[in-house]
Amino acid sequence: MSQSVLTQKEENLVNISFEIAAEDFEKALQQAYDSNKHKINLPGFRRGRVLRKMIEAQYGKNFFYEDALDALFPDRYEGALDEHDIDPVSRPSITKFEVSDSGVASLVVETWTKPHGKIDDWKGIEYRKPVIDATDAEIQAELEREQDASSRLVNITDRPAKDGDRVTIDFEGFHEGVAFHGGKGEAFELTLGSGQFIDTFEQQIEGYNIGDELEVNVTFPEEYHAEHLAGKPAMFKVKVLDIHEKQVPELDDDFAQEVSEHDTLEEYSQEIKERIEEGKRKATDREVEEQLAMGLGERVEVNIPQAMLDTEIERQITDFARIIQQQTGMDLEGYLQMTGMDRATMRIAYEDQAPKNVRSRLGVEAVIRMENIQVTEEEIDKEVDIVAPMYRLTKPQFIEAVGKGGMKNIENDVKAQKALALVREHGKPITAEEAEARKAEDMPAEEEVAEEKPKKRAGKKKKDDE
């Protein structure tokens, strides 16, 4: 027996009507009362001792309705979505809510649903042929990185400091003879030539021995974060406490044996080459998938509801906020204040990309339907094995954390991967040069752009005149 009624209002916009049984709603009302009674004061009653019927008599019978509905709505709504196989693309909006004399709660919920795109032909989509070969320069750079990581610091006592040395210093900064805040350090380790300190500070330490005391004269940059010092000269009193020289090993067979399981540098270089190319392969595979998805988005025929675009813009803003939080520890509101932006301006920045992202996803889903792409439990399980460690969770913990909806998303992701692999198999790889040529062909000539602008202005003037 159906638990809800679906009504199609317009394309991709539906109403869902359902009821909550009187006993279930009453139970939720009582729980709402139990959770909130200690917060409510009525004259003549001690806090937490006010009877529910007294509160409802004072503030209205519907006083606890909102809390009760908050507790019941998510499960009932999800059940209705499953019942009618609906994929919403917006937050639900309750357009009608009534409670009968018998205590039955009746709701009508409005939501936008995901449209189904159509593609006449998904084959032959062009994508840039990935270049994964590791160059000699890349291999050498990785060897040098390993070489630097294997270096050791040797205490130096018989010569002055030079570029590349790590020195330990005491220092104190003065502006116009007065010490300034934040300009003092003790036993500070500084690598000469690293550019860690301003101006020529590090170069002026070169040539001094352990125990030497010197004065370093510098000028703060104009854009220095401390405004009272920006662009101002300063003098630092510095004492050299010790000097260490970085000694790096030779790039030879002994080095290869020390840092790897290989006997020769040639063998180790080959391993590095394969490692670089594997990394490139993974990166370019993602790039190719993005190109193919965008290509499908350009071919898909679909009407996208504005609610879906709004949801995509909010998703992009949320992703950006998470990145800012991870990189700086700053929340989005703090970032907006610091940059002088507001949320409305940020939304505008994402408006051009949002339709492309949505169309690409709908294009991939169109291929999934057209080719009836299915996934096995083993394929889903394998994907969970990859994803769960990214969240530092075991497989059971991940499955419990994401729930039914999250596992459905995993299944859809695997289907999308298989669809894009199929599109790639039937795609057309082109070189980077060919891709640039295609891009140039698609761009309007400067003369055409110049002609188009007066036409637009003339069109606007005509409309204004009307």
Side-chain angles (χ1 to χ4, degrees):
M1 180 179 177
S2 177
Q3 301 297 310
S4 61
V5 177
L6 180 71
T7 305
Q8 192 80 35
K9 288 191 66 177
E10 57 183 87
E11 185 181 12
N12 305 122
L13 181 63
V14 299
N15 276 351
I16 307 172
S17 306
F18 57 90
E19 294 182 344
I20 298 173
E23 56 270 27
D24 292 337
F25 195 61
E26 170 58 28
K27 183 179 179 180
L29 288 172
Q30 185 63 33
Q31 289 174 342
Y33 162 71
D34 291 338
S35 298
N36 291 282
K37 62 183 179 181
H38 66 284
K39 305 175 185 175
I40 300 169
N41 279 327
L42 279 182
F45 292 90
R46 290 166 56 193
R47 184 184 294 273
R49 297 289 185 176
V50 187
L51 298 177
R52 175 180 155 192
K53 63 181 180 180
M54 298 297 295
I55 297 172
E56 292 175 338
Q58 177 72 21
Y59 296 108
K61 191 175 181 179
N62 62 352
F63 185 77
F64 294 110
Y65 280 7
E66 183 175 349
D67 286 345
L69 192 58
D70 286 344
L72 294 171
F73 180 79
D75 284 344
R76 297 298 199 279
Y77 177 62
E78 288 295 329
L81 295 178
D82 290 342
E83 181 183 353
H84 298 286
D85 194 23
I86 293 173
D87 195 354
V89 295
S90 65
R91 292 182 179 275
S93 174
I94 299 176
T95 59
K96 184 179 180 182
F97 173 62
E98 295 178 345
V99 180
S100 69
D101 293 339
S102 63
V104 176
S106 302
L107 296 92
V108 177
V109 180
E110 181 180 273
T111 189
W112 289 92
T113 63
K114 182 183 291 185
H116 281 184
K118 178 185 175 184
I119 295 180
D120 291 333
D121 182 16
W122 52 264
K123 297 180 180 179
I125 293 179
E126 292 183 346
Y127 63 92
R128 289 188 299 278
K129 184 178 180 180
V131 178
I132 63 171
D133 293 336
T135 65
D136 291 342
E138 289 171 332
I139 297 170
Q140 183 65 26
E142 180 63 17
L143 281 171
E144 290 175 358
R145 190 191 68 79
E146 293 278 5
Q147 181 187 33
D148 185 69
S150 300
S151 63
R152 63 192 184 97
L153 291 172
V154 178
N155 191 35
I156 300 297
T157 59
D158 58 352
R159 66 164 175 79
K162 65 177 182 179
D163 184 50
D165 286 344
R166 192 182 76 179
V167 297
T168 304
I169 58 173
D170 289 340
F171 63 87
E172 186 173 13
F174 299 83
H175 172 58
E176 296 182 346
V178 179
F180 54 84
H181 178 70
K184 185 175 182 178
E186 295 181 349
F188 187 90
E189 294 182 346
L190 173 66
T191 299
L192 302 183
S194 65
Q196 186 176 356
F197 275 29
I198 63 169
D199 202 10
T200 59
F201 187 103
E202 296 167 21
Q203 291 92 324
Q204 294 182 54
I205 297 177
E206 294 177 22
Y208 286 89
N209 291 282
I210 295 174
D212 285 349
E213 298 183 11
L214 63 144
E215 292 185 357
V216 172
N217 293 285
V218 296
T219 301
F220 283 95
E222 294 290 342
E223 65 278 6
Y224 194 64
H225 61 85
E227 293 184 4
H228 66 289
L229 294 175
K232 303 291 178 60
M235 183 273 289
F236 285 85
K237 293 182 178 180
V238 178
K239 182 176 182 179
V240 181
L241 303 180
D242 65 31
I243 303 170
H244 286 83
E245 180 182 59
K246 179 189 288 187
Q247 292 187 352
V248 296
E250 294 291 330
L251 287 177
D252 53 20
D253 293 345
D254 290 338
F255 170 76
Q257 293 167 17
E258 181 70 26
V259 300
S260 74
E261 297 179 356
H262 299 288
D263 293 328
T264 67
L265 184 63
E266 183 179 356
E267 292 171 351
Y268 183 48
S269 298
Q270 180 61 30
E271 180 197 311
I272 289 178
K273 179 178 186 295
E274 293 170 359
R275 189 194 311 161
I276 292 172
E277 290 178 351
E278 178 61 22
K280 282 188 173 185
R281 185 176 293 106
K282 290 180 179 179
T284 55
D285 280 349
R286 289 191 293 270
E287 292 173 5
V288 168
E289 285 184 353
E290 290 175 3
Q291 293 174 54
L292 294 171
M294 288 297 174
L296 291 171
E298 292 172 359
R299 296 190 183 190
V300 70
E301 298 175 16
V302 65
N303 291 322
I304 303 174
Q306 182 60 42
M308 192 173 187
L309 297 177
D310 291 338
T311 300
E312 171 62 19
I313 291 172
E314 287 302 317
R315 184 193 68 78
Q316 292 183 75
I317 292 175
T318 300
D319 287 349
F320 177 79
R322 185 175 64 253
I323 293 171
I324 289 296
Q325 179 72 39
Q326 291 172 345
Q327 293 181 347
T328 67
M330 186 183 303
D331 62 17
L332 181 61
E333 295 307 315
Y335 172 81
L336 292 176
Q337 291 177 8
M338 185 185 73
T339 57
M341 294 176 62
D342 56 31
R343 200 175 182 92
T345 305
M346 179 169 277
R347 282 183 59 85
I348 293 172
Y350 289 112
E351 284 180 352
D352 287 341
Q353 188 61 36
K356 298 176 184 177
N357 292 347
V358 171
R359 291 183 69 85
S360 67
R361 289 202 297 271
L362 295 177
V364 173
E365 291 171 6
V367 175
I368 292 173
R369 289 192 304 273
M370 291 169 67
E371 301 305 318
N372 192 29
I373 292 175
Q374 302 295 324
V375 295
T376 65
E377 289 297 328
E378 290 77 15
E379 289 171 326
I380 295 174
D381 198 54
K382 184 178 179 180
E383 184 69 10
V384 173
D385 284 336
I386 296 172
V387 176
M390 297 179 182
Y391 294 90
R392 298 181 180 178
L393 297 173
T394 64
K395 184 186 295 186
Q397 288 172 336
F398 177 82
I399 293 173
E400 182 180 357
V402 302
K404 182 180 177 181
M407 291 305 295
K408 184 64 177 177
N409 290 336
I410 293 288
E411 179 183 344
N412 291 336
D413 287 345
V414 177
K415 285 183 178 180
Q417 291 169 20
K418 295 179 75 172
L420 289 170
L422 186 62
V423 175
R424 181 172 183 172
E425 181 182 339
H426 293 275
K428 182 182 178 183
I430 59 176
T431 64
E433 292 76 13
E434 289 174 317
E436 288 301 317
R438 299 281 196 282
K439 186 177 179 181
E441 290 173 1
D442 292 338
M443 292 178 62
E446 293 183 8
E447 294 81 2
E448 295 175 356
V449 173
E451 290 179 7
E452 187 64 23
K453 289 181 179 179
K455 289 180 182 178
K456 289 182 179 179
R457 288 195 293 269
K460 183 178 185 303
K461 184 178 186 303
K462 181 178 179 182
K463 186 175 181 180
D464 293 341
D465 292 343
E466 291 173 352

